[in-house]
Each structure stands twice: as structure tokens, then as C-alpha cells.
Amino acid sequence: MPNAPSETPRLVIKGVSKIYPSVIANDNVDLTIMPGEIRAVLGENGAGKSTLMKIIYGVTHPDKGEILWEGSPVTVQNPAHARELGIGMVFQHFSLFETLTVAQNVALAVPGRLDLAGLSRRIEEISGKYGLPVDPRRLVHALSVGERQRVEIIRCLLQNPRLLILDEPTSVLTPQAVRKLFETLRQLASEGVSILYISHKLDEIQELCHTATVLRNGRVTGHCTPSQETPKTMARLMIGEDLPTFHHGEPEEGREVRLRIDGLSVKSEDPFGVDLEDVSLEVRSGEIVGIAGVSGNGQQELLRAISGEEPVPDKRWIHVCGVPAGRMNASRRRALGMCFVPEERLGRGAVPRLSLTDNVLLTAFRRKMVRFGMIRRKAAKTFADDCIRLFDVKCGGAASEAKSLSGGNLQKFIVGREILQEPKVLVLAQPTWGVDVGAASFIRQQLLCLREKGTAVLVISEELDELFEICDRLVVIAKGRLSPSKATSETGVEEVGVWMSGMWPGAEPAKDEAPHVA
Amino acid sequence: MQPSLLSAILFATIVAGTPLIIAAVGELVTEKSGVLNLGTEGIMSMGAVAAFAVTVHTGSPVLGILAGMTAGMAMGLVFAVAALTFMANQVASGLALSIFGVGLSAFIGKPYESQALPSVATWNVPGLHKLPLVGHAFFEHQGLVYFSWALLAAVAWFLYRSRLGLVLRAVGEAPVAAHSVGYNVVRIRYMAVLFGGAMAGVAGAFLSVFHTPLWVEGMVAGRGWIALALVVFATWRPARVMVGAYLFGGCMITQMFVQGSGMHLNIPSQFLSALPYAATIIVLVIISHNKATIRLNSPASLGQPFSPEA
Amino acid sequence: MWLKFEQRPEPSRLMRYLSPLLAVGLMVASGMLLFHLLGKSPAEGFKVFFLNPVQDKYGVAELFLKATPLILCAVGLAVGFRGNIWNIGAEGQLLIGALAGGGLALHFHDTNSMLLLPAMIVAGALGGMFWAAIPAWLRTRFNANEILTSLMLVYIAELIVSWLVHGPWMDPDGFNFPQTRLFQAKATMPILVQGTRVNAGLFIALGALIAGWIFMNRSFMGYQMKVAGQAENAGRYAGFSARRTVWIGMLVGGAMAGIAGVAEISGPVGQITEHISPGYGFAAMIVAFVGRLDPVGIFFSGLLMALLYLGGEQAQQYLALPYSISKVFQGLLLFFLLCSDVFITHRIRWKK
């Protein structure tokens, strides 16, 4: 690590605080990064990592504290100012514009006259130099998630940044693509670029980063050198306790098929969507099946087809507990015993401005909460109270608005609401996405209990670790197709990573373009 | 059909389409920034009455247009304050603006109801206006007609060739992303709304000072709403606005020509007057039918409030 | 200095109720300013506009008479607005309802049956529903925006009325005035208080308020509409039919507007003319918003809006101001309401 003591730090943050009406996002945070240093900023969801980065990039402004850029105090006015200083940022939820071309997207972040031809040449130069292939003329909505990330990185590199911030960059990549990204980052660091790497993935930080700063509840709880730590010690710094582990019984053979998908093919109505091709899958009673894949490969479309939010033309494509259900809407499928936890909590899984009691009605109304077309609010309230108690939902009671709950607690409420309906089939999308570690392990434990009781559970997740932890079998989705299934114990991250690029044995070569991965 | 009649029909179609072009292009720019301003009808009414009053008092149609534009911008500002600063529901704010504008214009315009203005002279394009058939139809118009053509070209260039136009489209497509890249979303939307208001004001001025020229309560007669439909019809592309505007312009003058042509058709005049409104519905149905087209062309954030804080 | 809004951790219940009052206050204040600018005394203007209309029994009765169609239309619209169904064509549905009911009255001009008036009301509801069904169908079948289509149908409805009263339905003994003959006694609403014009239509409006309240707050269908309006994706996730939401939102609005139309022609108007409604269908949108899309609120905001109509008439008579001043007040009221609503979810912070 090029960290001679005489050198001026590239960036020093002293005592920075940011207070929102309901939460202290950053509390007296200190951080220093030297030229050529790769520093991890480690913390759980909600620990204040993203806020800190937004402060450095000028998207928000601190309430207190000081920022020194290459030795002199600065107030970062806005992102344009940050870019002028030499700070670049790659966002977790990309800040790209779908209907514009790659070159136009880049132009939006480059000051000066609009010269798309010249810009395209420079994009190609950079992409050649750092091994980030991308075509400047293509529209962003036609790009895979990995390609989009490259566009973001190129957009930063065009301005010759001296500090590059990456916010959870690997959540959208296959393990192989992660390795390629790390090569690029190391190359940049060797050229003297400082890199702030935000993540909650301990193994990646160990592999890539020279130093790490750990945040918890908005405060710095420690600095460390990842190469001298174990994941366990870093986890303790991050969450204040040890990572929970699960025990997992052997699956029983020969149980009945509860959810059968058979030759499902759907053309996406959304021009930016993915078409599903000949998807087949069975989930049996008492097992947890996981669907792995890089986001944007048809997960959304598959979920909507399974849940009934987007019924499919042929009723035999989807069987729920033996009943052909392809053309049924979500409510009728629920009547067959299927429950569903969607990825978005606010606005899909729950109505933000309604009370928890009213949100119970959304899916559980069949449990004697409606009589003669009128609502029996008492029954709904009882259900909500049970759910809050049994699933340890921290809130101001059943009358609180869904919007007022934290992400983890709302997720516990939604999972609880679905589980308490005693489903025969439970489908979950990203069950622990953006949820703190405690709530995540609680939810995983609940899924394992449900499995013991004989429910067929299907989990779609982008977190491979999670899938390997709880699933009996895994399949992979890529470009709208599904791989064969494999028992979790007989495969590993490496193989699944290869499959995530669409290259499983027997896969037809993709017709038009490279699979939707990096 | 003899050439002179065809020429007259073309001429009248262009005149009738002109206020639609001006108002719809303004609204198109507003919508491209992600803001749905349903107040066009009210803004046009205010533009019309302001332009008429100023022209009556000063005798200058140019000052009249400027007054219409100013009134339009003032109305746009009212909408922007509600919908952008106060983050009010855009649909409701637009409806409020329409009700308010139609009412206030009637209120202000009462003393002017019986007055008439001399008609504004046309400006014939040298040489070209002598061409057979198309000469009269295209090149013997009042200044604002040529303005509407220039406006279309300018807005098309602005949206697709200029940097600010690119920023405007980006803001309408993904305001959160635009904010995080460092653009002031609210300020850009303010500018777009003010431009839309100014153009609707000019469109109103054209109606009261150039087209009719007089002021009657309710004289905008739904043209503001038709302009809104035109933006959808044009799938947010300036060139198509022109096609649509002349289509509607043609519908609007049918009545005049059927009655003037000596054809004794036994159709009640109300049915012919209903044509543009019915055409609007039909056109909306045809365009909206294809959801993918709408999604590909409409600004993704259209109508959604944006708060830089969240 | 520049003001900035900061999100409240919890929406303010207090402001939910205060914001309409704040809006009314601001409207009155700017009204007084307007009077001042016009060279009238603000105090006199206030008295003429807001107090004069309700000085005596007749005035109060007029207030309820005017409020009747406003409340009827607003309750129906609120059902749709809650579900994000933007039916802004209540004015047209009111007119077609009036034509349906009025057509019946003209056809059975000689009947002596007690059933005529109820039949007219039913016909009015059906007429309004028919006119609202067009945008509903175009929306569910062709994805066409109901805002624009329902509004275009207002213009068409006005032209149909105009055609009928100028042509086929014109009173043969009416000296060529564009109006139908006066309805007979069996086709008119019974007067409730002698010496006033307030009629049984008021009871229909009150009944609609109660029915609307039960539907919105107690029924499962009302709940489904609320979900659809607040979070479309949640509605789909729950499996509630989006089409049904559109249909119910539009049809209820149309039925109520149609009944309001019949209430007008069989009440104060007594025949069909080109001026059945002074923009009730549009004003009702303001009534619905100011009333928080809630029947209790709509009752009060309906009376307020009726007062603005009456105030406009008074201002015309005693202050020599155009009648359209009441529309200016209506627009201002809605604007102020929309702006004050930000305080429910946000508070102001002054930035230096």
C-alpha cells in the first residue's frame, strides 16, 4: 500500500454528522484515505454508509463537521462540484437514464459543449484501457446490469478522478464478474486513484481492500486492516455480535409437488422487460428451492407470473397444489393456498399510508375478515396484533402506518402476515434485501420452521450466501431461462456463478446477444 | 373541387391549427421534464384576455402577444409553485389552474366583451406567396403562423441537439438519477413549466388578437384540452404535433366550409361542432392502445412529484 | 432566506383538519384583497359575498338548494378519486342524466302516475352512468386516459343538449326560445319548506352522503378502491381487479352526476334549457377535494361552494362585479388547499 507518512491524505473527514428528522444517519464520523488506497466502508443496512458517501459526493450536506480535500478544507456544493474536485461515484441504484444512449448518459456528467462523436471515441478509449467493454451508441435500457455498471464506471473515469466511490458494486454481478471488477479497481489504485468501497460482504473486502472503516448506527465503531482480520472479527465490529448460524435437516424424499411450473413462456409487455422462455420447475412439500441469478434476467417477470399479478395465457403452465392456475389472479391463487412476499415492501407488499390492520386485509381478508361485503375490522386487528407479537415487529401498534416502520420490521410484518395464513406454498423475493442482520436471520429461521411443517418454499434472491444457507435445491435464471436444479450440497458458488452467465450444461446458446450478465 | 376552395381550406386549416401547435409544443416541453400541467385551457384563456386587453389599450398586437406570454408565464408560475414547491398533486393542481384561469379570464374580460379589434395584417412571403394553390395556403399568413413553424423547429433542435435539452429529457426520465448526477431537478422543471405557460399564453393571444379577433367568455372552447391530447397523439415528438394540429384544425373548420359551400346537408350544426372533440377521443384511443409505444415515448416520471430531500 | 420543506416523521393529524380551514382563510383573505384592488371596500365585499346570501330563511334554503347537486356530484367523484380514477367529466354526465330524466318527463307529459319522478331519477342515474361508461370502457379496453376523454364528452354533451333544445325537443309554444316545455307537477320535486325552493333532492343528497360513507369506510370494495388509488401495485399484488376499480369509480360518479342533473331540471329549473348547470360538475371536483374525499367533509365543503355561487350572484347585483368572480374564488380555494396540504406531511424550515 503506497502510504508514505509524508504524503498528504487525499481526503480527511472530521466529525461529520447528519441528522434526519427521524434518524441520526451520521454521528461524528472520522475517515481518512490516502492516494492509491482502497478503503472499505463496512456496515449493515442503515448504518449510515450511503449517507456518508452522499455527503462526500455533494448530494447532501452535513449538519456538522469538516472535509479536507488534499489538505485544504472544502464544502462540496453538489455533485458537479465534486466531479470538478476529482471525486467520482458509482451508485448502487444506478443513476442512468434508460431511454438515452450510453454516450448521452456520459455526456450528462461531463461539462462543456455537447460533442457526442468525440465523447464516443473517448468512451471507447477508456473501455479499452481498463477492460470495460461497452458500445457508446446503445440505449441503456437494452444493456445488462453489468454493462450498466461499466457505463457508470466509465462515466467516472472520463473525468480522471482521484477518488472513486463505489456503493455496493458487486450486488449485481456474478462471482466471475466481481473478480474482473477487482482487477480494474486494483489497476486504478496502482495509478494513484483512491477508492472508497462500500459493502457489507466481508469476503470481498478481505480480498480487495487495504484498510476498512466500520460503521454501526451512524458511528464509526473501528478501523482495521482486513487482511489481518477474520470474517468473524469483522462481523463482530459490524453488528456488535457474532453472525448467527442455522442448522438444516435433510430433506425428505417423495413428498407431493405443491408448485409446478411447466413450459412457461411469456413475452414481456414492458419494452424494457425480459421474455421468459420455456421455464419449468417443481417445488415439493417440505423443501426450500432457491432461484439464483443476476438481477434483470427475468426474476421480476417470473415472480409476477407465479404470483398471479400477471396471469399467463395458458392455465396449465402453472399448477398450485395440483390445480391449473395459470390464468388466475393473485387473489384466486391465494385461495388455493399460495402466499407471496414481493421484493418491494412499500407500495406492493404493503400500502404505505394505511395502518397495519388495513394492510392485513390486503392478503389475509379470506380469514373471516369480510362478511356480506363489509369489513370486520376486529378480526383484522386481532390478526395484526398476533403478527406483531409472534414476529417481533417493532412498531407503535396495529394502528401505525406501514410507512412508519423500518425496512426490517416491515419485512417481518409482511412475512408474518403471509406465514400466519398457513400457506401450502410460499414464494419470496429477496426476503432479506436491505434488512438488518438480526431481522434477516429471524426471517431465515422462520422459513426453515415452515419447511419443517411441510410448506413448499420458493426463494428468489440475488444473495448467493443466503441461498446456500437455507435452500435444499438451487436453480439459476439467466436471460429468462431456467437452469436444471441441483442439490445445494452438490454444488458451490463457483459453479452457480458460471451458470449465472447462462452457461449451464445443455443450455442452448443465446440467440441474439450475450447473456444479461457482465 | 376548384383550386381556390382547396386553397382556402388549406389556409383555414393552418390558421385553426396554429394555436394548437403553439400550446401543444409548450406542453410537450413541460411534459418532457416530467410535469403534467393540465391547466393549459386556463392559461390559454388568460393569455387570450390579457393579449386582447393590452391590444385594445395600446393598439399594438405585438405588445398584446407579449402580454399574453407574460400572463401565461404568471399562470405557469402559480402552477409551478403548487406542484413543484408545494409538491401538490399535479393532476389536481392542473385542474385548479384550468378552473381558475377560465373564471378569472371571464372576470377580467367582462368589460371587453363588446369590443372588436381591427384584423392584423398578414405578411406575405416574397415570391413564394404567388405560387399557385400553395401560395395563399402557406405564405400569406399572419406572423404568428410562421412563428409556430419556427417554434417547432427550435424545440425539436433544443430537445434532440442541445445539451440543455438532453438534461431536460434526463430529468423527465429519471429525476432521482438526475438529482444524484447533480442537476437541480426542481429548477429545470420550473423553467419547463414557465416555457409551457408562455407558449399557452401566446396561443391564447393568437386566438383573441389574430384569429377572431375579439374576446368572448369561454372562447378557448376546449382547445387547451385538445392541445394536451395532441401531445399524447404526437407521442411526445415535436414533428408529429404539427400533423396532429392540422388534423384537428381541419376538423374545426369543417363546419364553416360545409355551411359555406352551399352543400345542403341536413346535419345539425352541433354535430359538426362536436367533430373536434370526438376526433380527440378517437385519436387518443388509437394512440393509447399500444401500451409499449406510450411507455417508450412518454417521460417515465410524468406526473410524479419529486422531492430532493428523499 | 429561502423556505424549505422538511418531511415530518409522521403525517400530522392536526394539519389534516386544519389545512382546509387554512385554505378557506387564505381564499377569504385574497378575496378581500381582490375587492380592495377593484376599488371596493373589503369589509363591504365580505359582507355582500359571504354574509348577505344567508341572512334569511330563503337564503339558507337557497344555500341547501345549490349544495344539493354539488354534494351529489362530489360524493360520486370522491369514490373515483380515491381509486385514482380521474373522472373530470361530471358536468357532461350531469347533462346526459338530465336529458334522460327530462326525456322521460316530456314523453309522459300527460301521465298522472306517482312513479314518474322516481322513474326520472332512475333514468337520470342510468344516463349519467352511460356517459361515464364511455371513458371507463375506453380506459379498460384501450388504455385511453380518462381525464381527456371524460372532458371531451362534456363538450359533446353540451352540444347534444343544445341540439335538442334548438331542435327536436323545443317547446312548440315557446316563441322559439331554446328550451323545452315546462315539466308538469308529477315530474317536479316536492318543495320541503313553503316559501323557498329547497326540495326533496336534498334528501337524495343526504342519502348519497350516508351511502357513500358506508361504501368508502366500511365496505371491502371501498377498501379495494382505496388500495388501488394509493398503491396500484399493492392492489395487483392482492389480486384486486383494476378494471373493476375503474368501472366502479366511473359508474358511481356518473350515476350521482346524472341524479344531480335530474334534481336540477325537476327542481329549480323545471325544464331543459341550455343552462341547466352553472358548472356544478367542475365545482364538485373542488368540493370533493376540499372535503378530503370524505362524505362528512363533502357536506361542509358543498355548503361552502354553494355559498360561493350565491356570493357571486350577490356581488353581481350589489357590487356590479361579473358573476364569474365565484369561479375565481373556487379556483383560489382549490389552489390554497393543494398548497396547504403539504403541511400534513412536511414542515417548513427557513434556510439562510
Side-chain angles (χ1 to χ4, degrees), chain A residues 57 59 79 83 91 95-100 104 107-112 114 141 155 269-272, chain B residues 160-163 166-167 169-171 173-175 177-183 291-292 295-296 309-310:
Chain A
Y57 196 55
V59 180
R83 290 194 294 267
F91 290 90
S95 56
L96 295 178
F97 306 94
E98 302 249 327
T99 52
L100 303 181
Q104 286 173 332
L108 281 166
V110 179
L114 191 63
H141 69 75
R155 186 163 74 176
E269 254 197 28
D270 183 352
F272 306 153
Chain B
Y160 298 107
R161 288 282 176 272
S162 81
R163 182 178 178 81
L166 181 62
V167 172
R169 286 191 286 149
V171 164
E173 183 63 38
H179 174 72
S180 58
V181 178
Y183 291 104
K291 280 188 190 170
R295 168 66 194 97
L296 273 173
E309 191 195 323

Side-chain angles (χ1 to χ4, degrees), chain A residues 55 58 61-62 67 72-78 81 85:
Chain A
I55 287 172
H61 303 276
I67 300 176
S72 39
V74 286
T75 312
V76 186
Q77 306 287 351
N78 52 43
H81 182 212
L85 289 171

Side-chain angles (χ1 to χ4, degrees), chain A residues 21 309-310 329-331 334 340 347-348 351 353 358 361-363 365 370 373-375 377 403-404 417-418, chain C residues 6-7 9-11 214 217-221 223 226-227 230-231 233-234 236-240 345 347:
Chain A
E309 286 161 293
E310 203 77 71
N329 70 14
S331 175
R334 229 170 253 125
F340 175 53
R348 188 163 163 200
V351 184
R353 275 279 142 85
D358 276 355
L361 277 169
L362 199 59
T363 62
F365 64 88
V370 177
M374 293 291 145
I375 295 168
R377 212 155 293 250
K403 194 169 177 270
S404 68
R417 178 186 69 194
E418 301 302 302
Chain C
E6 186 182 83
Q7 191 143 21
E10 285 264 344
I214 292 171
N217 295 305
R218 287 284 176 265
S219 80
F220 190 53
M221 193 58 226
Y223 168 82
K226 192 156 66 175
V227 170
Q230 290 189 16
N233 286 337
R236 192 189 320 204
Y237 161 68
F240 303 156
T345 49
R347 57 184 163 216

Side-chain angles (χ1 to χ4, degrees), chain B residues 284-294, chain C residues 141-144:
Chain B
L284 274 174
V285 164
I286 294 170
I287 295 293
S288 312
H289 187 36
N290 189 343
K291 280 188 190 170
T293 320
I294 295 288
Chain C
R141 176 73 182 76
F142 299 104
N143 190 34

Side-chain angles (χ1 to χ4, degrees), chain A residues 76-133:
Chain A
V76 186
Q77 306 287 351
N78 52 43
H81 182 212
R83 290 194 294 267
E84 239 169 76
L85 289 171
I87 303 174
M89 175 144 180
V90 176
F91 290 90
Q92 179 181 15
H93 307 289
F94 301 139
S95 56
L96 295 178
F97 306 94
E98 302 249 327
T99 52
L100 303 181
T101 66
V102 170
Q104 286 173 332
N105 265 281
V106 173
L108 281 166
V110 179
R113 212 174 59 82
L114 191 63
D115 169 21
L116 290 178
L119 201 56
S120 300
R121 276 195 303 280
R122 286 176 59 204
I123 291 170
E124 276 161 349
E125 260 170 50
I126 298 262
S127 83
K129 182 174 170 196
Y130 291 99
L132 300 163

Side-chain angles (χ1 to χ4, degrees), chain A residues 36 129-130 186-193:
Chain A
K129 182 174 170 196
Y130 291 99
R186 285 197 195 96
Q187 186 185 349
L188 283 167
S190 71
E191 291 169 9
V193 178

